[in-house]
Amino acid sequence: MGQPTATPDSVNSLTVHDNRTGKVYNIPIVDNSIPATAFKTIQAPRAPGEREENETEKGLRVSDKGFLNTAVLRSEITFIDGDAGILRYRGYPIEQLALHSSHLETAYLLIYGSLPTKPQFKIFETEVLHHGVTHADAEQFCRSFRYDAHPMAILTSAFAYLGSYYGEANPSLQGQSLYTRGNAASLEIMDKQIYRLIGKATTLAAMAYRVRQGREFVTPPTGLSYTGSFLYQMDHLGEENYTPNPILEKALDVLFLLHADHEMNASSTTVLQTGSSLVDPYSAIAAGCASLYGPLHGGANEAVIRMLISIGKPENVPAFLEAVKKREKVLSGFGHRVYKTSDPRSFIVRKTADEVFKITGKDELLETAMALHAAAMKDEYFIKRKLAPNVDFWSGLIYRAMGFPLDFFPVLFAVPRVVGWLAHWRQMMLQEGGVKIWRPRQIYVGASKRDYVPIDERVAVEGLRKGPSAISHSG
Ligand code: ACO
């Protein structure tokens, strides 16, 4: 592979002719992909005047800012066809799962690869719900945040905090092959952390919610579904026979299932990048949670509602769209790196919204959202760029109708996504050949070698971004 040859040795290969050296290389194509490492063998002498930092003699580098076309692993979990608007978990279309399955059953499917039998599901569900309880000290931890802390700040920190309880689950303490051995003992430890993380995700999220509301914490109940228990932990205020509204419980479950995984999105990639150092899963999940928080990812559902509030009413939509086209504003909830026609989840969410509104009444922002949607879908700017609503465009309206505070929306994305993060993390720990640390390359374009200048002899380098900013100080 990569050795200079004159003719391709197979149909499934790429022939590369390096015009710098005249050499020809055959690079194998496997599963319609080429190994980036093969390009490292394409070496050339440095051209006169070329920077040494280009490392030309060390082989070609593959440049892909923002991972636009880089496959970082082989996966059996989720398939997306962005042009056809297809999403499948382990081969099952998302529409079928949303109709027939539940979030926890889908979690089993995503993590272990097949739909569980009744007894298998019973064990899984019991373990996850059993592990919902946190140590009483976690209450103090959550209470240590300020009353106006963003709940994602609490949740992200809480996942890392949680890891401090489980020394037996920490490869730094127990040996780096703790999760990669793949034997029964190793799998048992891995699965226990999976139960704990999925089980406690709702508990920690509910605690973040209650801190904000100034409510006492509630011990996870028994006898309720995963989402039923979550609603109970947030809403229960001492009623004797509290049961969550079954339609809202089902709606939240469908939303959880839709958010459970989405292959190599920013947060899942972060979990894998972090996990590739063989850190404990709590730290890796905390990193994923932080990545999800951003407005280009899981923070978009919150951003959509803030945007709709700022637009105010349908009459203001045209002016808003003009501002988007001038790049003065962002149309949150539209566009996707992968989906270029439609996000299949958005149709299911739209349908679920109607179910929820039957109970809660229509959200006052719905009309503005529909006007915005209709106008954007026939606007040349959005058509040309293949921008359609993503899952977040409608989900925020449901969360708002259900009474969740705005800044809690990303939490409602992060909790179910714990499942996908863990499915990818588990797959990577057990992958053939072991775990390779994720260490990408860069193209260094900075200063070439220069000598240290004593401070008295320096000339100031000034300008925006060329030094620290002067900041104003209050009080
Ligand atoms: N509003 C207006 N223009 C947009 C939008 C948008 N929401 N999204 C993309 N564009 C434009 C870009 O400006 C760019 O235009 P140009 O080619 O003239 O410069 C073009 O469409 C292509 O967009 P990119 O930014 O290159 O697309 P990318 O794949 O890098 O980004 C992203 C995808 C981040 C989702 C982007 O569409 C976006 O910012 N959307 C709004 C935020 C959002 O809804 N995020 C949620 C994503 S889904 C999820 O995480 C569940």
Side-chain angles (χ1 to χ4, degrees):
M1 180 183 60
Q3 291 305 310
T5 60
T7 51
D9 55 7
S10 116
V11 178
N12 285 318
S13 68
L14 181 77
T15 302
V16 176
H17 182 259
D18 186 346
N19 294 318
R20 299 169 302 177
T21 58
K23 288 180 182 167
V24 174
Y25 298 80
N26 276 332
I27 298 176
I29 297 176
V30 179
D31 292 331
N32 190 33
S33 70
I34 45 162
T37 45
F39 285 83
K40 212 169 160 32
T41 61
I42 303 180
Q43 299 161 354
R46 194 165 10 129
E50 191 180 357
R51 287 160 53 85
E52 63 169 315
E53 291 83 5
N54 273 357
E55 301 183 327
T56 311
E57 310 92 324
K58 294 184 184 167
L60 265 189
R61 298 168 297 191
V62 179
S63 155
D64 187 7
K65 191 176 156 194
F67 290 141
L68 289 165
N69 191 30
T70 295
V72 289
L73 45 68
R74 295 166 70 83
S75 177
E76 297 177 13
I77 300 172
T78 292
F79 172 74
I80 301 175
D81 180 337
D83 294 322
I86 287 172
L87 169 61
R88 293 185 207 130
Y89 290 165
R90 299 277 188 182
Y92 296 100
I94 194 70
E95 293 81 4
Q96 288 187 26
L97 292 168
L99 196 62
H100 303 296
S101 187
S102 67
H103 176 60
L104 266 200
E105 186 184 72
T106 299
Y108 186 107
L109 171 70
L110 282 166
I111 296 167
Y112 301 107
S114 56
L115 284 167
T117 60
K118 252 189 194 171
Q120 284 174 326
F121 180 67
K122 189 78 215 139
I123 294 170
F124 182 67
E125 185 184 39
T126 306
E127 287 294 354
V128 167
L129 295 177
H130 168 80
H131 283 94
V133 181
T134 55
H135 192 286
D137 288 353
E139 298 194 6
Q140 265 171 305
F141 173 78
C142 288
R143 289 257 179 250
S144 69
F145 285 82
R146 278 178 64 101
Y147 69 93
D148 60 351
H150 196 291
M152 278 301 279
I154 304 179
L155 187 68
T156 303
S157 315
F159 279 127
Y161 164 82
L162 203 55
S164 68
Y165 283 85
Y166 308 119
E168 86 281 5
N170 189 341
S172 296
L173 303 173
Q174 304 301 334
Q176 66 177 50
S177 64
L178 187 62
Y179 296 111
T180 55
R181 285 195 287 270
N183 58 21
S186 172
L187 289 172
E188 195 184 311
I189 293 210
M190 183 184 281
D191 287 337
K192 190 164 187 182
Q193 310 326 309
I194 289 173
Y195 303 145
R196 280 175 170 158
L197 275 157
I198 300 176
K200 293 184 206 314
T202 42
T203 312
L204 296 171
M207 286 162 88
Y209 175 81
R210 285 201 168 238
V211 165
R212 299 290 311 280
Q213 304 292 319
R215 294 182 184 175
E216 289 295 330
F217 295 131
V218 173
T219 305
T222 51
L224 291 179
S225 72
Y226 186 68
T227 38
S229 161
F230 185 38
L231 286 171
Y232 180 102
Q233 290 180 66
M234 281 183 290
D235 287 343
H236 184 245
L237 286 174
E239 305 91 330
E240 253 182 42
N241 296 315
Y242 175 95
T243 43
N245 181 302
I247 293 178
L248 299 185
E249 180 183 345
K250 176 66 191 161
L252 193 60
D253 200 72
V254 170
L255 285 168
F256 271 19
L257 181 157
L258 295 180
H259 284 88
D261 190 43
H262 214 228
E263 53 117 306
M264 286 301 100
N265 53 85
S267 57
S268 298
T269 315
T270 305
V271 168
L272 293 177
Q273 168 97 46
T274 311
S276 79
S277 72
L278 298 180
V279 74
D280 68 276
Y282 299 90
S283 303
I285 296 297
C289 204
S291 167
L292 184 126
Y293 184 12
L296 294 187
H297 188 15
N301 51 17
E302 180 182 347
V304 167
I305 300 299
R306 293 194 191 282
M307 169 190 75
L308 291 174
I309 292 171
S310 79
I311 297 172
K313 45 190 177 188
E315 299 90 281
N316 298 336
V317 163
F320 175 78
L321 283 185
E322 283 314 307
V324 171
K325 290 193 269 182
K326 283 191 217 145
R327 295 170 197 270
E328 292 164 8
K329 303 231 159 116
V330 175
L331 175 47
S332 295
F334 258 68
H336 200 278
R337 171 61 62 79
V338 183
Y339 296 121
K340 294 302 170 198
T341 46
S342 58
D343 178 341
R345 300 167 301 173
S346 69
F347 299 112
I348 305 168
V349 174
R350 181 71 191 86
K351 227 173 113 227
T352 309
D354 288 333
E355 295 298 312
V356 169
F357 295 155
K358 278 185 206 154
I359 307 288
T360 60
K362 271 193 185 149
D363 190 291
E364 60 191 15
L365 293 174
L366 182 64
E367 278 189 18
T368 308
M370 282 166 55
L372 183 58
H373 174 251
M377 292 305 279
K378 52 179 192 249
D379 190 297
E380 195 48 35
Y381 174 95
F382 298 93
I383 295 170
K384 201 173 119 202
R385 291 171 177 78
K386 299 186 173 172
L387 301 170
N390 56 52
V391 67
D392 292 320
F393 189 75
W394 300 112
S395 64
L397 286 170
I398 305 186
Y399 298 145
R400 208 171 107 100
M402 287 174 79
F404 292 110
L406 259 188
D407 56 9
F408 200 68
F409 294 3
V411 171
L412 296 167
F413 186 163
V415 167
R417 186 53 63 86
V418 167
V419 165
W421 293 335
L422 289 170
H424 290 287
W425 173 75
R426 186 178 190 274
Q427 178 177 257
M428 182 168 83
M429 290 300 126
L430 300 177
Q431 77 193 359
E432 231 174 88
V435 177
K436 195 111 185 112
I437 192 161
W438 286 24
R439 202 314 189 175
R441 301 203 61 187
Q442 64 164 7
I443 295 172
Y444 179 74
V445 294
S448 290
K449 181 176 177 290
R450 48 184 171 172
D451 291 322
Y452 184 83
V453 181
I455 194 160
D456 293 335
E457 294 169 26
R458 290 175 209 161
V459 179
V461 179
E462 280 167 0
L464 200 62
R465 301 186 186 193
K466 299 281 186 192
S469 306
I471 54 161
S472 54
H473 293 266
S474 63

